[in-house]
Amino acid sequence: MFLGPPGSGKGTQAKVISSKIGAKHYSTGDMLRDAVKNNTDLGKKAKEFMSKGELVPDSLILSLINEVFLRDNPNRFILDGFPRTVNQALELDKLLQKIGRPLTTVLYFDIPDEEVVRRITGRRTCTKCGSNFHIEFNKSKNDGICDKCNVKLILRDDDKEATIRNRLKVYKDSTSPLINLYKEKGILRKIDASASIDLISESIIKFIS
Ligand code: AMP
């Protein structure tokens, strides 16, 4: 399980690592965004919470996870963005016991809040193709213009400073207690999430193998 604040790079690493080790990648954030895009019942219920940076109610998330796990019965998997509350973690334990696949490792992506704010508020997104650039780390060739589409780049509402500060607060209040919970179980491993993408992937792979 990958645990850490928004903007810590969990999603990026989960994509790289899952394809390298042949594990199934479960991102509740991606599943919810799909549900919103497809305007499903779940999407309609989740939309409001997501746009404010609040957590979607546990009951919705838990029935989503139960459904996909009982359907897939995955052998190796990476959880990204779930669990996010103590209640979700306890329910996950029960589910994993039921399918006989206990959680082996929790990787905790440790990063200072200010670095998260710098990463996210510097992100610029193309309104046409959705490509992401960054004003410091991944500049477009022409300032404020997409390299591929030649249209204007914007700062998305959910990347604005007030939203990200709220998401960090939600993380601190509801999700960070999981750090101690998994530390006590003896399966937590901390990684420095301020390092480069390649360096982090390398250390995760080394650790797994
Ligand atoms: P993410 O892409 O993981 O940052 O998730 C985007 C948004 O989806 C979050 O800000 C929450 O509103 C919602 N979300 C994703 N995963 C969960 C979860 N496990 N519990 C509650 N809400 C979630």
Side-chain angles (χ1 to χ4, degrees), residues 6 10 27-30 32-33 46 49-51 53-58 61 80-85 88 167:
K10 301 185 303 288
S27 155
T28 42
D30 284 351
L32 290 169
R33 277 183 287 275
F49 298 98
M50 293 173 75
S51 64
E54 301 290 339
L55 293 184
V56 171
D58 283 356
I61 297 290
D80 155 23
F82 173 85
R84 254 175 157 103
T85 62
Q88 288 182 14
R167 293 181 68 198

Side-chain angles (χ1 to χ4, degrees), residues 127-166:
T127 44
K128 197 169 168 202
C129 73
S131 292
N132 277 319
F133 297 85
H134 195 282
I135 54 172
E136 277 181 82
F137 313 124
N138 177 24
K139 291 182 180 172
S140 57
K141 287 193 194 96
N142 295 312
D143 221 12
I145 304 289
C146 177
D147 287 355
K148 294 175 197 155
C149 312
N150 226 15
V151 303
K152 215 172 151 220
L153 300 173
I154 57 151
L155 171 64
R156 280 177 10 200
D157 278 345
D158 50 351
D159 288 345
K160 288 187 175 153
E161 183 162 349
T163 316
I164 185 61
R165 295 254 179 224
N166 186 44

